[in-house]
Amino acid sequence: MAAIDLSASEDENGNPMTVETEALWNWKKNIDLGIEKVKSKVNDMKNSIPNRVEKFNKENAPLDGSKHKTDDKKEGGITFINCQSEIGDLVILNDYMDTSRNKDREDGDKGLVKSLLDADLIKRYNGTRFLNELKVGENDKVYWEIDDYTKQSGNYVEKVCSIKI
């Protein structure tokens, strides 16, 4: 149910997760492991995104990576934009996203406009990241390079966002 691939899973402390046979057959245990995995990925984001922005800022002063202007990215039925996340555990990262686009998310077609942070969490669940690196484009435009494809699973975010409920 939680699509747990324990070969690529870590607990909140970064330790490899192991599984008993019960977790393969017990849906409650499977969901518990899925929740642990999401928490681990959120904690990774809380550390890595500020670190990558800080590194970018040191290497590219006076540009500020937290003031990036990343283009919208449509994945399946969801458009991910440079706005703040509504996911409670990701709120701490909202300082790295543009507040002016929050209204665009709220006015989205039936809530199908989400933060780029949300897409990053989806892809991290699959073992990599969506927000790859901060880059400098024309006219000193700072943006996140999007990595939406992996050789192993194709475009995982697109697949997840295309699921019809």
Side-chain angles (χ1 to χ4, degrees):
M1 291 174 63
I4 300 294
D5 173 7
L6 293 172
S7 65
S9 299
E10 297 175 345
D11 66 16
E12 290 183 15
N13 299 316
N15 301 315
M17 289 173 56
T18 57
V19 66
E20 315 119 34
T21 305
E22 176 189 6
L24 298 173
W25 304 106
N26 180 329
W27 68 268
K28 292 178 185 178
K29 187 75 160 178
N30 188 276
I31 295 298
D32 288 344
L33 285 172
I35 291 169
E36 267 188 66
K37 186 173 179 179
V38 169
K39 287 179 181 179
S40 171
K41 300 306 177 179
V42 167
N43 286 334
D44 181 50
M45 288 175 70
K46 287 179 182 179
N47 291 320
S48 71
I49 288 178
N51 288 342
R52 288 189 285 149
V53 171
E54 184 178 319
K55 180 182 178 208
F56 173 87
N57 289 346
K58 283 180 183 176
E59 294 172 355
N60 296 281
L63 298 176
D64 183 354
S66 63
K67 305 291 185 212
H68 65 92
K69 300 293 180 191
T70 304
D71 292 338
D72 298 354
K73 185 74 169 110
K74 185 154 179 66
E75 300 288 349
I78 298 177
T79 302
F80 294 97
I81 67 172
N82 181 10
C83 70
Q84 296 184 326
S85 177
E86 297 174 299
I87 298 173
D89 288 343
L90 294 181
V91 168
I92 194 168
L93 296 174
N94 279 344
D95 289 343
Y96 300 97
M97 304 307 283
D98 187 359
T99 59
S100 68
R101 299 282 322 265
N102 287 350
K103 185 177 185 311
D104 295 338
R105 179 195 58 229
E106 293 163 6
D107 291 341
D109 180 25
K110 301 178 184 174
L112 299 179
V113 177
K114 302 291 180 189
S115 173
L116 290 165
L117 290 170
D118 302 345
D120 196 48
L121 179 58
I122 292 169
K123 183 130 185 226
R124 282 172 189 260
Y125 191 87
N126 188 242
T128 59
R129 58 187 188 210
F130 191 78
L131 300 176
N132 194 30
E133 294 298 331
L134 284 163
K135 298 285 187 177
V136 180
E138 291 181 28
N139 301 320
D140 288 337
K141 174 189 169 190
V142 179
Y143 66 94
W144 279 103
E145 175 186 61
I146 303 295
D147 182 8
D148 59 359
Y149 183 83
T150 59
K151 190 174 183 180
Q152 176 187 6
S153 60
N155 188 336
Y156 182 75
V157 177
E158 168 85 24
K159 289 176 185 176
V160 169
C161 295
S162 296
I163 296 171
K164 304 285 186 223
I165 299 178

